Amino acid sequence: MVRALARKYGLPLEKWYPKEVPAQITDRSVSWPMLQETIDQYCDIRTEDSRLRGHLLEFEALRNNYPYRIEYF
């Protein structure tokens, strides 16, 4: 998102990346079946969904303080 905004508005942020997140730079393409088979290794979507839905009053605080995780690609 940062790179897209930097390109659109001519900002010097093309190479910016959050220091809290280890960079995962690859040029591989990922098919939908491959994503479905492997995404749980990177993010437990069902658990995250349940956690957020189970704390609706704290949703904003949970999202604003969401921990960084390893990028899938």
Side-chain angles (χ1 to χ4, degrees):
M1 185 63 149
V2 171
R3 283 190 283 274
L5 288 170
R7 279 191 300 273
K8 180 168 177 66
Y9 295 106
L11 301 171
L13 299 170
E14 287 284 325
K15 296 185 189 265
W16 180 87
Y17 203 84
K19 61 184 169 220
E20 299 91 345
V21 180
Q24 301 290 319
I25 300 171
T26 64
D27 290 331
R28 69 183 171 128
S29 61
V30 178
S31 67
W32 181 248
M34 183 179 173
L35 178 66
Q36 289 176 305
E37 291 174 17
T38 59
I39 193 68
D40 286 339
Q41 297 170 21
Y42 297 88
C43 177
D44 186 348
I45 295 171
R46 286 184 183 94
T47 298
E48 291 301 313
D49 178 70
S50 294
R51 185 171 72 99
L52 293 171
R53 288 176 191 260
H55 299 92
L56 293 177
L57 296 177
E58 293 91 28
F59 181 84
E60 283 297 318
L62 289 169
R63 287 299 294 151
N64 289 340
N65 296 295
Y66 203 74
Y68 285 108
R69 61 182 174 262
I70 296 172
E71 296 290 325
Y72 183 76
F73 54 90

Coordinates of all heavy atoms in Angstrom, one line a residue:
M1 N 0.8 -1.2 0.0 CA 0.0 0.0 0.0 C 0.9 1.3 0.0 O 0.6 2.2 -0.7 CB -0.9 0.0 1.2 CG -1.9 1.1 1.3 SD -2.9 0.9 -0.2 CE -4.4 1.6 0.4
V2 N 1.9 1.2 0.8 CA 2.8 2.4 0.9 C 3.4 2.6 -0.5 O 3.5 3.8 -0.9 CB 3.9 2.2 2.0 CG1 4.9 3.3 1.9 CG2 3.2 2.2 3.4
R3 N 3.9 1.6 -1.1 CA 4.5 1.8 -2.4 C 3.6 2.3 -3.5 O 3.9 3.2 -4.3 CB 5.2 0.4 -2.9 CG 6.5 0.1 -2.2 CD 7.2 -1.0 -2.8 NE 6.6 -2.3 -2.5 CZ 6.9 -3.0 -1.4 NH1 7.8 -2.5 -0.6 NH2 6.4 -4.2 -1.2
A4 N 2.3 1.8 -3.4 CA 1.3 2.3 -4.4 C 1.0 3.8 -4.2 O 1.0 4.6 -5.1 CB 0.0 1.5 -4.2
L5 N 0.9 4.2 -2.9 CA 0.7 5.6 -2.6 C 1.9 6.5 -3.0 O 1.8 7.6 -3.5 CB 0.3 5.8 -1.1 CG -1.1 5.3 -0.7 CD1 -1.2 5.3 0.8 CD2 -2.2 6.2 -1.4
A6 N 3.1 5.9 -2.7 CA 4.3 6.7 -3.1 C 4.4 6.9 -4.6 O 4.7 8.0 -5.0 CB 5.5 5.9 -2.6
R7 N 4.0 5.9 -5.3 CA 4.1 6.0 -6.8 C 3.0 7.1 -7.2 O 3.3 7.9 -8.1 CB 3.8 4.7 -7.5 CG 5.0 3.8 -7.6 CD 4.7 2.6 -8.5 NE 3.7 1.8 -8.1 CZ 3.8 0.8 -7.2 NH1 5.0 0.5 -6.7 NH2 2.7 0.1 -6.9
K8 N 1.8 7.0 -6.7 CA 0.7 7.8 -7.1 C 1.0 9.3 -6.8 O 0.8 10.2 -7.6 CB -0.6 7.4 -6.4 CG -1.8 8.3 -6.8 CD -3.1 7.8 -6.4 CE -4.2 8.7 -6.7 NZ -4.5 8.9 -8.1
Y9 N 1.6 9.6 -5.6 CA 1.8 11.0 -5.2 C 3.3 11.4 -5.3 O 3.6 12.5 -4.8 CB 1.3 11.1 -3.8 CG -0.2 11.0 -3.7 CD1 -0.8 9.8 -3.2 CD2 -1.0 11.9 -4.2 CE1 -2.2 9.7 -3.1 CE2 -2.4 11.8 -4.2 CZ -3.0 10.7 -3.7 OH -4.3 10.5 -3.6
G10 N 4.1 10.6 -5.9 CA 5.5 11.0 -6.1 C 6.3 11.1 -4.8 O 7.2 12.0 -4.7
L11 N 6.0 10.3 -3.8 CA 6.7 10.3 -2.5 C 7.9 9.4 -2.5 O 7.9 8.4 -3.1 CB 5.7 9.9 -1.4 CG 4.5 10.7 -1.2 CD1 3.5 10.1 -0.3 CD2 4.8 12.1 -0.8
P12 N 9.0 9.8 -1.8 CA 10.2 9.0 -1.8 C 10.1 7.8 -0.8 O 10.9 7.6 0.1 CB 11.2 10.0 -1.3 CG 10.5 10.9 -0.4 CD 9.1 11.0 -1.0
L13 N 9.1 6.9 -1.0 CA 8.9 5.8 -0.1 C 8.8 4.5 -0.8 O 8.4 3.5 -0.2 CB 7.6 6.0 0.7 CG 7.5 7.3 1.6 CD1 6.1 7.5 2.1 CD2 8.5 7.2 2.8
E14 N 9.3 4.4 -2.0 CA 9.3 3.2 -2.8 C 9.9 2.0 -2.1 O 9.5 0.9 -2.3 CB 9.9 3.4 -4.2 CG 9.1 4.3 -5.1 CD 7.9 3.6 -5.7 OE1 8.0 2.4 -6.0 OE2 6.9 4.2 -5.9
K15 N 10.9 2.2 -1.3 CA 11.6 1.1 -0.7 C 11.3 1.0 0.8 O 11.9 0.2 1.5 CB 13.1 1.2 -0.9 CG 13.5 1.1 -2.4 CD 15.0 1.2 -2.5 CE 15.3 1.3 -4.0 NZ 15.6 0.1 -4.7
W16 N 10.3 1.7 1.3 CA 10.0 1.7 2.7 C 9.4 0.3 3.0 O 8.6 -0.2 2.3 CB 9.0 2.8 3.0 CG 8.6 2.8 4.5 CD1 9.2 3.4 5.5 CD2 7.5 2.1 5.1 NE1 8.6 3.2 6.7 CE2 7.5 2.4 6.5 CE3 6.5 1.3 4.6 CZ2 6.6 1.8 7.3 CZ3 5.5 0.8 5.5 CH2 5.6 1.1 6.8
Y17 N 9.7 -0.2 4.2 CA 9.2 -1.4 4.7 C 9.2 -1.3 6.2 O 10.2 -0.8 6.8 CB 10.0 -2.6 4.2 CG 9.3 -3.9 4.2 CD1 8.4 -4.2 3.2 CD2 9.4 -4.8 5.3 CE1 7.7 -5.4 3.2 CE2 8.7 -6.0 5.3 CZ 7.9 -6.3 4.2 OH 7.2 -7.5 4.2
P18 N 8.2 -1.7 7.0 CA 8.2 -1.6 8.4 C 9.4 -2.4 9.0 O 9.6 -3.6 8.7 CB 6.9 -2.2 8.9 CG 6.1 -2.5 7.6 CD 7.0 -2.4 6.5
K19 N 10.1 -1.8 9.9 CA 11.3 -2.4 10.5 C 10.9 -3.6 11.4 O 11.8 -4.5 11.6 CB 12.2 -1.4 11.2 CG 11.5 -0.7 12.3 CD 12.4 0.3 13.0 CE 11.6 1.1 13.9 NZ 11.8 2.5 13.9
E20 N 9.7 -3.6 11.8 CA 9.2 -4.7 12.7 C 9.0 -6.0 12.0 O 8.9 -7.1 12.5 CB 7.9 -4.3 13.4 CG 8.0 -3.1 14.3 CD 7.7 -1.9 13.6 OE1 7.7 -1.8 12.3 OE2 7.5 -0.8 14.3
V21 N 8.9 -5.9 10.6 CA 8.6 -7.1 9.8 C 9.8 -7.5 9.0 O 10.3 -6.7 8.2 CB 7.4 -6.7 8.9 CG1 7.0 -7.9 8.0 CG2 6.2 -6.2 9.6
P22 N 10.2 -8.8 9.1 CA 11.3 -9.2 8.2 C 10.8 -9.2 6.7 O 9.7 -9.7 6.4 CB 11.6 -10.7 8.6 CG 10.5 -11.0 9.6 CD 9.7 -9.8 9.9
A23 N 11.5 -8.6 5.9 CA 11.2 -8.5 4.5 C 11.2 -9.8 3.8 O 12.1 -10.6 4.0 CB 12.1 -7.5 3.7
Q24 N 10.2 -10.1 3.0 CA 10.0 -11.4 2.3 C 9.9 -11.0 0.8 O 8.8 -10.7 0.3 CB 8.8 -12.2 2.7 CG 8.8 -12.6 4.1 CD 9.9 -13.6 4.4 OE1 10.1 -14.5 3.7 NE2 10.6 -13.5 5.5
I25 N 11.0 -10.9 0.1 CA 11.0 -10.4 -1.2 C 11.2 -11.6 -2.2 O 12.2 -12.2 -2.2 CB 12.1 -9.3 -1.5 CG1 11.8 -8.1 -0.6 CG2 12.1 -8.9 -3.0 CD1 12.9 -7.1 -0.6
T26 N 10.1 -11.9 -2.9 CA 10.2 -13.0 -3.9 C 9.5 -12.6 -5.1 O 8.6 -11.7 -5.1 CB 9.6 -14.3 -3.3 OG1 8.2 -14.1 -3.1 CG2 10.2 -14.8 -2.1
D27 N 9.8 -13.2 -6.2 CA 9.1 -12.9 -7.5 C 8.2 -14.1 -7.9 O 7.8 -14.2 -9.0 CB 10.1 -12.7 -8.6 CG 10.8 -11.4 -8.4 OD1 10.2 -10.4 -7.8 OD2 12.0 -11.2 -8.8
R28 N 7.9 -15.0 -6.9 CA 7.1 -16.1 -7.3 C 5.6 -15.7 -7.4 O 5.1 -14.9 -6.7 CB 7.3 -17.2 -6.2 CG 6.6 -16.9 -4.9 CD 6.9 -18.0 -3.9 NE 6.5 -17.5 -2.6 CZ 5.7 -18.2 -1.8 NH1 5.2 -19.4 -2.1 NH2 5.4 -17.7 -0.6
S29 N 4.9 -16.4 -8.3 CA 3.5 -16.2 -8.3 C 2.9 -17.3 -7.5 O 3.4 -18.4 -7.4 CB 3.0 -16.2 -9.8 OG 3.3 -17.5 -10.4
V30 N 1.7 -17.1 -7.0 CA 1.0 -18.0 -6.1 C -0.4 -18.2 -6.7 O -1.2 -17.3 -6.9 CB 0.9 -17.5 -4.7 CG1 0.1 -18.4 -3.8 CG2 2.2 -17.2 -4.1
S31 N -0.7 -19.5 -7.0 CA -2.0 -19.8 -7.6 C -3.0 -19.9 -6.4 O -2.6 -20.0 -5.3 CB -2.0 -21.1 -8.3 OG -1.7 -22.2 -7.4
W32 N -4.3 -19.8 -6.7 CA -5.3 -19.8 -5.7 C -5.3 -21.2 -5.0 O -5.3 -21.2 -3.7 CB -6.7 -19.6 -6.4 CG -7.8 -19.6 -5.4 CD1 -8.8 -20.6 -5.3 CD2 -8.0 -18.7 -4.3 NE1 -9.6 -20.3 -4.2 CE2 -9.2 -19.2 -3.6 CE3 -7.4 -17.6 -3.8 CZ2 -9.7 -18.5 -2.5 CZ3 -7.9 -17.0 -2.7 CH2 -9.0 -17.4 -2.1
P33 N -5.2 -22.3 -5.7 CA -5.1 -23.6 -4.9 C -3.8 -23.6 -4.0 O -3.9 -24.1 -2.9 CB -5.0 -24.7 -6.0 CG -5.6 -24.0 -7.2 CD -5.3 -22.6 -7.1
M34 N -2.7 -23.1 -4.5 CA -1.5 -23.1 -3.6 C -1.7 -22.2 -2.4 O -1.3 -22.6 -1.3 CB -0.3 -22.6 -4.4 CG 1.0 -22.6 -3.7 SD 2.3 -22.0 -4.8 CE 3.6 -22.0 -3.6
L35 N -2.3 -21.1 -2.6 CA -2.6 -20.2 -1.5 C -3.5 -20.9 -0.4 O -3.3 -20.8 0.8 CB -3.3 -18.9 -1.9 CG -3.7 -17.9 -0.9 CD1 -2.4 -17.3 -0.2 CD2 -4.5 -16.8 -1.5
Q36 N -4.6 -21.5 -0.9 CA -5.5 -22.2 0.0 C -4.8 -23.3 0.8 O -5.1 -23.6 1.9 CB -6.6 -22.8 -0.8 CG -7.6 -21.8 -1.3 CD -8.7 -22.4 -2.2 OE1 -8.4 -23.1 -3.2 NE2 -9.9 -22.2 -1.8
E37 N -3.8 -24.0 0.1 CA -3.1 -25.1 0.8 C -2.1 -24.7 1.8 O -1.8 -25.4 2.7 CB -2.4 -26.0 -0.2 CG -3.4 -26.8 -1.1 CD -2.7 -27.5 -2.2 OE1 -1.4 -27.7 -2.1 OE2 -3.3 -27.9 -3.2
T38 N -1.6 -23.5 1.6 CA -0.4 -23.1 2.4 C -0.6 -21.9 3.4 O 0.2 -21.6 4.2 CB 0.8 -22.7 1.5 OG1 0.4 -21.7 0.6 CG2 1.2 -24.0 0.7
I39 N -1.7 -21.1 3.2 CA -1.9 -19.9 4.0 C -1.9 -20.1 5.5 O -1.4 -19.2 6.2 CB -3.1 -19.1 3.5 CG1 -3.2 -17.7 4.1 CG2 -4.4 -19.9 3.9 CD1 -2.1 -16.8 3.5
D40 N -2.4 -21.3 5.9 CA -2.4 -21.5 7.4 C -1.0 -21.6 8.0 O -0.9 -21.4 9.2 CB -3.1 -22.8 7.7 CG -4.6 -22.7 7.5 OD1 -5.1 -21.5 7.5 OD2 -5.3 -23.7 7.3
Q41 N 0.0 -21.8 7.2 CA 1.4 -21.8 7.7 C 1.8 -20.3 8.1 O 2.7 -20.2 8.9 CB 2.4 -22.3 6.7 CG 2.1 -23.7 6.3 CD 3.0 -24.2 5.1 OE1 4.0 -23.5 4.8 NE2 2.5 -25.2 4.4
Y42 N 1.1 -19.4 7.6 CA 1.5 -18.0 7.8 C 0.5 -17.2 8.6 O 0.9 -16.3 9.3 CB 1.6 -17.2 6.4 CG 2.7 -17.8 5.6 CD1 2.5 -18.9 4.7 CD2 4.0 -17.4 5.6 CE1 3.5 -19.5 4.0 CE2 5.0 -17.9 4.9 CZ 4.8 -19.0 4.1 OH 5.8 -19.5 3.3
C43 N -0.7 -17.6 8.6 CA -1.8 -16.9 9.3 C -2.9 -17.8 9.6 O -3.5 -18.4 8.6 CB -2.2 -15.7 8.6 SG -3.6 -14.8 9.4
D44 N -3.3 -18.0 10.8 CA -4.5 -18.8 11.2 C -5.7 -17.9 11.1 O -6.1 -17.3 12.0 CB -4.3 -19.4 12.6 CG -5.4 -20.3 12.9 OD1 -6.4 -20.4 12.2 OD2 -5.3 -21.0 13.9
I45 N -6.3 -17.8 9.9 CA -7.4 -16.9 9.6 C -8.6 -17.2 10.5 O -9.2 -16.3 11.0 CB -7.7 -17.0 8.1 CG1 -6.5 -16.4 7.3 CG2 -9.0 -16.2 7.8 CD1 -6.7 -16.6 5.8
R46 N -8.9 -18.5 10.7 CA -10.1 -18.8 11.5 C -9.9 -18.3 12.9 O -10.9 -17.8 13.5 CB -10.4 -20.3 11.4 CG -10.9 -20.7 10.1 CD -11.3 -22.2 10.1 NE -11.8 -22.6 8.8 CZ -11.0 -23.2 7.8 NH1 -9.7 -23.4 8.1 NH2 -11.5 -23.5 6.7
T47 N -8.8 -18.5 13.5 CA -8.5 -18.1 14.9 C -8.6 -16.6 14.9 O -9.2 -16.0 15.9 CB -7.2 -18.6 15.4 OG1 -7.2 -20.0 15.4 CG2 -6.9 -18.1 16.8
E48 N -8.0 -15.9 14.0 CA -8.0 -14.4 14.0 C -9.4 -13.9 13.8 O -9.9 -13.0 14.5 CB -7.1 -13.8 12.9 CG -5.7 -14.1 13.1 CD -5.2 -13.4 14.4 OE1 -5.5 -12.3 14.7 OE2 -4.5 -14.1 15.2
D49 N -10.2 -14.5 12.9 CA -11.6 -14.1 12.7 C -12.4 -14.3 14.0 O -13.1 -13.4 14.4 CB -12.2 -15.0 11.6 CG -13.7 -14.7 11.4 OD1 -14.0 -13.5 10.9 OD2 -14.5 -15.5 11.7
S50 N -12.2 -15.4 14.7 CA -13.0 -15.7 15.9 C -12.6 -14.7 17.0 O -13.4 -14.2 17.8 CB -12.7 -17.1 16.4 OG -13.2 -18.0 15.5
R51 N -11.3 -14.4 17.1 CA -10.8 -13.5 18.1 C -11.4 -12.1 17.9 O -11.9 -11.4 18.8 CB -9.3 -13.4 18.1 CG -8.7 -12.5 19.2 CD -7.2 -12.7 19.2 NE -6.6 -12.0 18.1 CZ -6.0 -10.8 18.2 NH1 -6.0 -10.1 19.3 NH2 -5.4 -10.3 17.1
L52 N -11.4 -11.6 16.7 CA -12.0 -10.3 16.4 C -13.5 -10.3 16.6 O -14.0 -9.3 17.1 CB -11.6 -9.9 15.0 CG -10.1 -9.6 14.7 CD1 -9.8 -9.4 13.3 CD2 -9.6 -8.4 15.6
R53 N -14.2 -11.3 16.1 CA -15.6 -11.3 16.2 C -16.1 -11.5 17.7 O -17.1 -11.1 18.1 CB -16.2 -12.5 15.4 CG -16.2 -12.2 13.9 CD -16.7 -13.4 13.2 NE -16.4 -13.3 11.8 CZ -17.3 -13.0 10.9 NH1 -18.5 -12.7 11.2 NH2 -17.0 -12.9 9.6
G54 N -15.2 -12.2 18.5 CA -15.5 -12.4 19.9 C -15.3 -11.2 20.8 O -15.7 -11.2 22.0
H55 N -14.7 -10.2 20.3 CA -14.4 -9.0 21.0 C -14.9 -7.7 20.2 O -14.0 -6.8 20.0 CB -13.0 -8.9 21.4 CG -12.5 -10.0 22.2 ND1 -12.0 -11.2 21.7 CD2 -12.5 -10.2 23.6 CE1 -11.7 -12.0 22.7 NE2 -12.0 -11.5 23.8
L56 N -16.1 -7.7 19.9 CA -16.6 -6.6 19.0 C -16.4 -5.2 19.6 O -16.0 -4.3 18.9 CB -18.1 -6.8 18.7 CG -18.4 -8.0 17.8 CD1 -19.8 -8.2 17.6 CD2 -17.6 -7.9 16.5
L57 N -16.5 -5.1 20.9 CA -16.3 -3.8 21.5 C -14.9 -3.3 21.5 O -14.6 -2.1 21.5 CB -16.9 -3.8 22.9 CG -18.4 -4.0 23.1 CD1 -18.8 -4.0 24.5 CD2 -19.2 -2.9 22.3
E58 N -14.0 -4.3 21.4 CA -12.5 -3.9 21.4 C -12.0 -4.0 20.0 O -10.8 -4.0 19.8 CB -11.7 -4.9 22.3 CG -12.0 -4.7 23.8 CD -13.2 -5.6 24.2 OE1 -13.4 -6.7 23.6 OE2 -13.9 -5.3 25.2
F59 N -12.8 -4.2 19.0 CA -12.4 -4.4 17.6 C -11.4 -3.4 17.1 O -10.3 -3.7 16.6 CB -13.5 -4.5 16.6 CG -13.1 -4.7 15.2 CD1 -12.9 -6.0 14.8 CD2 -13.0 -3.7 14.3 CE1 -12.5 -6.3 13.5 CE2 -12.6 -3.9 13.0 CZ -12.4 -5.2 12.6
E60 N -11.7 -2.1 17.3 CA -10.8 -1.0 16.8 C -9.4 -1.1 17.5 O -8.4 -1.0 16.9 CB -11.4 0.3 17.0 CG -12.5 0.7 16.0 CD -11.9 0.8 14.6 OE1 -10.8 1.3 14.4 OE2 -12.6 0.3 13.7
A61 N -9.4 -1.3 18.8 CA -8.2 -1.4 19.6 C -7.4 -2.6 19.1 O -6.1 -2.6 19.0 CB -8.5 -1.5 21.1
L62 N -8.1 -3.8 18.9 CA -7.3 -5.0 18.4 C -6.7 -4.7 17.1 O -5.6 -5.1 16.8 CB -8.3 -6.2 18.4 CG -8.8 -6.7 19.7 CD1 -9.9 -7.7 19.5 CD2 -7.6 -7.4 20.4
R63 N -7.5 -4.1 16.2 CA -6.9 -3.8 14.8 C -5.8 -2.8 14.9 O -4.8 -2.9 14.1 CB -8.1 -3.4 13.9 CG -9.0 -4.4 13.5 CD -8.3 -5.5 12.7 NE -7.8 -5.1 11.4 CZ -6.8 -5.6 10.8 NH1 -6.2 -6.6 11.3 NH2 -6.4 -5.1 9.6
N64 N -6.0 -1.8 15.7 CA -4.9 -0.7 15.8 C -3.6 -1.3 16.4 O -2.6 -0.7 16.1 CB -5.4 0.5 16.6 CG -6.5 1.2 15.8 OD1 -6.6 1.1 14.6 ND2 -7.3 2.0 16.5
N65 N -3.7 -2.3 17.1 CA -2.5 -2.9 17.8 C -2.2 -4.3 17.3 O -1.7 -5.1 18.0 CB -2.7 -2.9 19.3 CG -2.8 -1.5 19.8 OD1 -1.9 -0.7 19.8 ND2 -4.0 -1.2 20.3
Y66 N -2.6 -4.5 16.0 CA -2.5 -5.9 15.5 C -1.0 -6.2 15.3 O -0.2 -5.4 14.8 CB -3.2 -5.9 14.1 CG -3.6 -7.3 13.6 CD1 -4.6 -7.9 14.2 CD2 -2.9 -7.9 12.6 CE1 -5.0 -9.2 13.8 CE2 -3.2 -9.2 12.2 CZ -4.3 -9.8 12.8 OH -4.7 -11.1 12.4
P67 N -0.6 -7.4 15.8 CA 0.9 -7.7 15.6 C 1.3 -8.0 14.2 O 0.5 -8.5 13.4 CB 1.0 -9.0 16.5 CG -0.4 -9.6 16.5 CD -1.4 -8.4 16.4
Y68 N 2.5 -7.6 13.9 CA 3.0 -7.9 12.5 C 3.2 -9.4 12.4 O 3.5 -10.0 13.4 CB 4.3 -7.2 12.3 CG 4.1 -5.7 12.0 CD1 4.5 -4.8 13.0 CD2 3.6 -5.3 10.8 CE1 4.3 -3.4 12.7 CE2 3.4 -3.9 10.6 CZ 3.8 -3.0 11.5 OH 3.6 -1.7 11.3
R69 N 3.1 -9.9 11.3 CA 3.4 -11.3 11.0 C 4.2 -11.5 9.8 O 4.3 -10.5 9.0 CB 2.1 -12.1 10.9 CG 1.2 -11.7 9.8 CD -0.1 -12.6 9.9 NE -1.0 -12.1 8.9 CZ -2.1 -11.3 9.1 NH1 -2.3 -10.9 10.3 NH2 -2.8 -10.9 8.2
I70 N 4.7 -12.6 9.6 CA 5.6 -12.9 8.4 C 4.7 -12.7 7.2 O 3.6 -13.2 7.1 CB 6.2 -14.3 8.4 CG1 7.1 -14.4 9.6 CG2 6.9 -14.6 7.1 CD1 7.6 -15.8 9.9
E71 N 5.2 -12.0 6.2 CA 4.5 -11.8 4.9 C 4.4 -13.1 4.2 O 5.4 -13.9 4.2 CB 5.1 -10.7 4.1 CG 5.1 -9.4 4.7 CD 3.7 -8.8 4.7 OE1 2.9 -9.0 3.8 OE2 3.4 -8.1 5.7
Y72 N 3.3 -13.4 3.5 CA 3.2 -14.6 2.7 C 4.1 -14.6 1.5 O 4.7 -15.5 1.1 CB 1.7 -14.9 2.4 CG 1.5 -16.1 1.6 CD1 1.6 -17.4 2.3 CD2 1.3 -16.1 0.2 CE1 1.4 -18.5 1.6 CE2 1.1 -17.3 -0.4 CZ 1.2 -18.5 0.2 OH 1.0 -19.7 -0.4
F73 N 4.0 -13.4 0.8 CA 4.8 -13.3 -0.4 C 5.1 -11.8 -0.6 O 4.6 -11.0 0.0 CB 4.2 -13.9 -1.7 CG 2.8 -13.4 -1.9 CD1 2.6 -12.3 -2.7 CD2 1.7 -14.1 -1.4 CE1 1.3 -11.9 -3.0 CE2 0.4 -13.6 -1.7 CZ 0.2 -12.6 -2.5

